[in-house]
């Protein structure tokens, strides 16, 4: 029998609430589709710090290395703002990404038709939008050395280093080309080759990898121009590949095009494990939203869609992933809205749990 192991790390803020709705989907797949998952749960972020004095306990790290997929809610909150940098909740997430070597971060930005009017851009510009940003996740300025705050003469200097090796660029480029082959066969690579040597190397390596993918139409853009083009006419893009920091910015920008950060999932993938499945962590793009935590107001859709990505990329269950995505689309088409999606007249918000239950009802209806 195939085993499918999942480590769930709900984290802080709204993380536990949205994860509870994902649990419903996992249970549904077990009960109605005969797809069992071995689920374990643990702490990450502020809650891990509260219990262990570290945002990610070594035992949790070890478990994450063993399972087929990790599903994370969100980390952080104002309570932890004054903690030392080394134990801030975010460090737990960054450690997972780094030690699991999750170099390819997939961030789809898809506009649900029912929500096109929530975008800050005109409906016409975003309706039908379906792009994928592939962000390099384990290198670049996030991790480059030297880094730190140092004394220099009579003042301090803050230093971070943008650093990319050819092999780091090569592997994320391949991940992006592979995705482009399964989608619209268009890839745009973004860097700042006009001002950064790392950008020059990036462009050179991506071009070289492109020779192995003659069917994919490759283009290059400076990342600032890319940001401008993403707001001008986002539908010109299919897959975008970019570095860690530009990817952080551009994926937030792309997310907002779709109307709500509360809707977008992500997958972070590494090299294949012994069983052929890639090392993988799935998480919503949104944060821990401490201002609404514990009130049942959070939108569970990004987290549910992150689990759908796990079905597709870790468990080879693309059809079930599409079923979950279809259920979400159906719920939105029926007009159900969590508080982050209000604005239409006469619509009152549903709670986090009501949204989850509605998705389950649509799953039932799909059988
Ligand atoms: C993201 C977040 C993280 C990042 C933070 C929470 C460390 O903004 O996943 O985009 O900067 O990578
Ligand atoms: Mg970010």
């Amino acid at each position: 029998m195939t085993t499918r192991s999942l480590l769930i790390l709900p984290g802080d803020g709204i993380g536990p609430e949205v994860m509870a709705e994902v649990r419903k989907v996992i249970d549904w797949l077990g009960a109605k589709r005969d797809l069992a998952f071995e689920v374990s749960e643990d702490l990450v972020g502020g809650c891990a710090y509260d219990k262990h004095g570290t945002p990610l306990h070594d035992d949790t790290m070890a478990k994450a290395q063993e399972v087929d997929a990790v599903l994370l809610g969100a980390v952080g909150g104002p309570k932890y703002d004054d903690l030392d940098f080394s134990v801030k909740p975010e460090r737990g997430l960054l450690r997972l990404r780094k030690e699991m070597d999750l170099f390819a971060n997939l961030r789809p930005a898809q506009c649900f038709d029912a929500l096109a009017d929530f975008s800050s851009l005109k409906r016409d510009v975003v309706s039908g939008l379906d792009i994928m940003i592939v962000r390099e996740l384990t290198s670049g300025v996030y991790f480059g050395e030297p880094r730190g705050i140092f004394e220099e003469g009579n003042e301090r200097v803050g230093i971070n280093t943008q650093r990319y090796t050819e092999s780091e660029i090569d592997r994320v480029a391949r991940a992006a080309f592979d995705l482009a082959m399964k989608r619209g066969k268009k890839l745009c690579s973004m860097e700042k080759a006009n001002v950064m040597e790392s950008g020059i190397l990036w462009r050179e390596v991506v071009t070289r990898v492109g020779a192995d993918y003659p069917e994919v139409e490759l283009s290059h853009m400076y990342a600032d121009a890319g940001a401008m083009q993403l707001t001008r006419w986002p539908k010109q893009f299919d897959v975008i590949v970019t570095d860690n920091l530009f990817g952080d910015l551009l994926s937030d920008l792309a997310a907002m095009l779709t109307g709500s950060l509360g809707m977008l999932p992500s997958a972070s993938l590494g090299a294949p494990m012994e069983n052929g499945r890639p090392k993988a962590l799935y998480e919503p793009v949104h944060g821990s939203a401490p201002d609404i935590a514990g009130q049942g107001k959070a939108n569970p859709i990004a987290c549910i869609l992150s689990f759908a990505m796990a079905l597709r990329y870790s468990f080879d269950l693309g059809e079930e992933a599409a079923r979950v995505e279809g259920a979400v689309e159906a719920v939105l088409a029926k007009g159900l809205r969590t508080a982050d999606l209000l604005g239409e007249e006469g619509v009152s918000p549903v709670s986090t749990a009501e949204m989850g239950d509605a998705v389950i009802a649509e799953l039932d209806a799909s059988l």
Side-chain angles (χ1 to χ4, degrees):
M1 207 186 89
T2 337
T3 60
R4 303 177 195 87
S5 56
L6 264 180
L7 173 63
I8 292 194
L9 303 173
D12 306 318
I14 59 171
E17 292 162 69
V18 295
M19 201 59 85
E21 304 313 305
V22 176
R23 285 275 197 166
K24 291 178 185 168
V25 177
I26 296 171
D27 292 345
W28 184 89
L29 287 168
K32 304 286 175 74
R33 305 294 298 155
D34 204 18
L35 293 166
F37 291 84
E38 277 166 36
V39 184
S40 51
E41 194 169 313
D42 213 327
L43 303 174
V44 68
C47 58
Y49 176 82
D50 288 339
K51 178 145 183 227
H52 303 299
T54 162
L56 188 74
H57 195 275
D58 288 343
D59 292 348
T60 317
M61 187 65 241
K63 266 192 233 168
Q65 298 282 19
E66 278 161 23
V67 291
D68 293 323
V70 179
L71 197 58
L72 187 138
V75 295
K79 182 176 162 197
Y80 308 105
D81 280 352
D82 296 331
L83 284 185
D84 187 72
F85 184 73
S86 64
V87 289
K88 276 200 187 295
E90 291 78 7
R91 302 309 303 173
L93 174 57
L94 292 169
R95 180 176 177 201
L96 281 166
R97 290 175 178 173
K98 186 70 181 172
E99 291 192 20
M100 293 170 76
D101 203 13
L102 305 171
F103 59 86
N105 181 215
L106 279 45
R107 299 194 162 183
Q110 220 182 332
C111 182
F112 289 89
D113 203 53
L115 300 181
D117 293 321
F118 286 96
S119 175
S120 51
L121 301 187
K122 295 191 191 85
R123 168 175 270 275
D124 171 46
V125 177
V126 296
S127 75
L129 179 71
D130 178 8
I131 62 182
M132 176 75 87
I133 296 188
V134 180
R135 166 189 176 194
E136 198 292 323
L137 201 61
T138 49
S139 185
V141 76
Y142 270 58
F143 297 98
E145 300 280 347
R147 66 182 297 165
I149 301 177
F150 305 97
E151 302 286 340
E152 197 176 275
N154 55 3
E155 61 174 356
R156 291 175 307 157
V157 51
I159 297 181
N160 290 91
T161 302
Q162 167 83 332
R163 181 180 189 278
Y164 272 108
T165 64
E166 287 185 286
S167 52
E168 285 169 340
I169 303 168
D170 185 284
R171 64 183 187 172
V172 72
R174 281 182 201 283
F177 275 108
D178 286 339
L179 267 169
M181 282 299 289
K182 292 188 199 140
R183 296 174 42 105
K185 299 195 172 158
K186 261 171 61 177
L187 177 64
C188 182
S189 168
M190 296 187 186
E191 28 56 14
K192 287 278 291 175
N194 50 346
V195 286
M196 297 165 77
E197 284 77 4
S198 58
I200 295 174
L201 188 67
W202 182 281
R203 189 176 286 219
E204 199 184 299
V205 174
V206 173
T207 305
R208 190 165 73 206
V209 173
D212 293 341
Y213 297 85
E215 281 177 61
V216 177
E217 181 195 318
L218 172 66
S219 60
H220 304 273
M221 240 181 233
Y222 296 140
D224 54 343
M228 187 265 284
Q229 290 296 340
L230 265 172
T231 41
R232 191 184 70 82
W233 189 244
K235 284 188 254 183
Q236 70 185 282
F237 297 108
D238 175 23
V239 181
I240 292 172
V241 64
T242 190
D243 75 16
N244 204 343
L245 184 59
F246 292 141
D248 184 40
L249 304 180
L250 293 171
S251 62
D252 264 23
L253 190 160
M256 203 56 223
L257 299 178
T258 70
S260 167
L261 218 52
M263 304 290 298
L264 293 180
S266 78
S268 304
L269 306 178
M273 300 183 284
E274 256 169 45
N275 62 11
R277 291 172 178 158
K279 280 260 162 90
L281 179 143
Y282 300 85
E283 57 178 316
V285 172
H286 65 66
S288 60
D291 51 322
I292 58 162
Q295 300 172 31
K297 286 185 185 168
N299 186 345
I301 288 180
C303 204
I304 291 174
L305 292 177
S306 298
F307 177 62
M309 287 187 93
L311 293 174
R312 178 172 291 120
Y313 294 110
S314 283
F315 301 111
D316 209 14
L317 293 169
E319 264 177 51
E320 298 303 327
R323 185 192 296 281
V324 173
E325 290 156 356
V328 165
E329 193 141 3
V331 165
L332 293 172
K334 285 191 171 152
L336 261 80
R337 303 285 183 257
T338 40
D340 55 314
L341 298 174
L342 288 185
E344 291 146 302
E345 242 166 86
V347 180
S348 49
V350 300
S351 69
T352 310
E354 283 166 330
M355 187 56 108
D357 291 341
V359 171
I360 298 296
E362 290 300 333
L363 285 175
D364 277 333
S366 77
L367 294 177

